Amino acid sequence: MEDRVQQFHTDAQRPRDARTPKEIERLRKFLFKNQEYRFTEREQSHLFCAVQAHFAAHADLPDEEAREPALGLIDDALKMPFTVFTTSQKKTFLKWHAKLTGQADGGAAAGSASAAPKQQRFQVYDVTETSISCMTADGDTADIDVQTSDKDLVAKVRELFDAGVDVNVHLDEGRKSLVGIVRSD
């Protein structure tokens, strides 16, 4: 397994070219097929560096369509269990995701002009039977007990998350329950 992971790391270090989208797709399939495998720290580091290299190669491209392969890879990486990527790596992925989707700059400037919001926007990165795990772009995390939130809202979050949609939610001030789902434009 280590040789395969090392190969993804090596391939990602090459300059971006016509093969890059195929390499990203191979990495995405590898992650999906091996998400139950318990990667060593070294393997996790190599996989993280491969994702980082693909992000760096696509982050500053002006065309949104050209950034799509890297965005898909980061989406998949965020959905991986913690045996594949660590919490700190996922926090970094969230920041990269925000940059690729253009959410990194716009939200802070718009929010500072008005009164401080009592709700904070979180991106859902895991949904289980008993909890919803989410994180801000700054890396603050919260685990919400589904029993403390509206059942219809929890069901909608679960439905969207299971369908592969990036789900952003608002939590109450104490981060104890869901307040609403953030509409994406």
Side-chain angles (χ1 to χ4, degrees), residues 124-133 146 154 157-158 161-162:
V124 175
Y125 66 85
D126 192 25
V127 177
T128 66
E129 290 297 317
T130 59
S131 69
I132 296 174
S133 300
V146 296
V154 170
V157 168
R158 194 172 272 136
F161 185 80
D162 289 344

Side-chain angles (χ1 to χ4, degrees), residues 113-124:
S114 62
K118 294 188 181 211
Q119 302 170 2
Q120 192 169 9
R121 181 179 181 154
F122 285 77
Q123 180 170 2
V124 175

Side-chain angles (χ1 to χ4, degrees), residues 60-123:
D60 295 325
L61 296 176
D63 184 17
E64 191 172 311
E65 190 173 309
R67 293 188 307 255
E68 189 60 37
L71 183 59
L73 176 60
I74 291 172
D75 282 339
D76 287 352
L78 282 167
K79 294 173 186 172
M80 290 292 120
F82 291 98
T83 56
V84 179
F85 293 112
T86 65
T87 301
S88 63
Q89 291 169 337
K90 287 188 176 197
K91 288 178 182 181
T92 303
F93 292 152
L94 276 175
K95 291 176 186 175
W96 294 346
H97 186 276
K99 181 170 181 171
L100 288 174
T101 58
Q103 297 174 357
D105 301 325
S112 62
S114 62
K118 294 188 181 211
Q119 302 170 2
Q120 192 169 9
R121 181 179 181 154
F122 285 77
Q123 180 170 2

Side-chain angles (χ1 to χ4, degrees), residues 3 5 9 23 25 31 37 48 56 68 75 97-98 100 102 115 117 122 134 154 157-158 161 165-166 168 175 179:
D3 292 339
V5 170
H9 178 254
E23 290 173 3
E25 189 59 31
L31 290 172
Y37 182 78
F48 177 79
E68 189 60 37
D75 282 339
H97 186 276
L100 288 174
F122 285 77
C134 42
V154 170
V157 168
R158 194 172 272 136
F161 185 80
V165 175
D166 288 331
N168 291 296
R175 298 183 184 173
V179 175

